[in-house]
Amino acid sequence: QVQLVASGGGLVQAGGSLRLSCAASGRTFSSYYMGWFRQAPGKEREFVASITLNGGTTVYGDSAKGRFTISRDNAKDTLYLQMNSLKPEDTAVYSCAASSLWSREPSLYSVWGQGTQVTVSA
């Protein structure tokens, strides 16, 4: 199966931007639906965004709409999450995940990256 490695997290001031990347290796990246999820301390895992096999369709969680953009480059086996207008409440560990199904439900994602910390200061 595919292996995922997320990167790009860090410390940013409120209003700033970050671009997360998720590099895939192993089985064909383009055969997986991909998603981003986040989890803040003491909170449940939250759906951020997902994208179809060819990148033609995307869907966002309420907290990401209008500020985040998910994309993928199948030629580079890489998933991205561009995050703009960041807020302190966006602070969380962000994880990329792969699924054989088109879903926003984390339990349907079979492969997970290790997560990257995003911290937004006020």
Side-chain angles (χ1 to χ4, degrees):
Q1 63 182 10
V2 68
Q3 291 83 44
L4 305 173
V5 178
S7 62
L11 175 64
V12 63
Q13 289 187 334
S17 298
L18 280 175
R19 188 194 196 198
L20 306 184
S21 297
C22 176
S25 62
R27 291 193 63 181
T28 307
F29 173 69
S30 60
S31 67
Y32 290 91
Y33 298 94
M34 298 297 297
W36 285 101
F37 296 83
R38 70 185 187 184
Q39 189 165 20
K43 295 188 177 181
E44 292 187 355
R45 181 173 285 166
E46 177 186 4
F47 170 77
V48 176
S50 62
I51 190 166
T52 51
L53 302 180
N54 64 359
T57 301
T58 57
V59 65
Y60 296 91
D62 289 343
S63 61
K65 288 178 182 177
R67 300 188 298 127
F68 296 0
T69 303
I70 187 173
S71 62
R72 67 190 298 166
D73 186 339
N74 287 343
K76 296 182 178 179
D77 292 343
T78 304
L79 175 74
Y80 303 99
L81 184 69
Q82 177 67 42
M83 304 187 295
N84 299 327
S85 303
L86 283 162
K87 306 174 183 179
E89 51 264 45
D90 294 319
T91 296
V93 174
Y94 285 71
S95 299
C96 55
S99 175
S100 59
L101 301 172
W102 173 238
S103 174
R104 56 193 295 158
E105 175 55 49
S107 65
L108 296 181
Y109 284 75
S110 57
V111 182
W112 290 80
Q114 86 286 8
T116 184
Q117 176 70 47
V118 172
T119 303
V120 184
S121 62

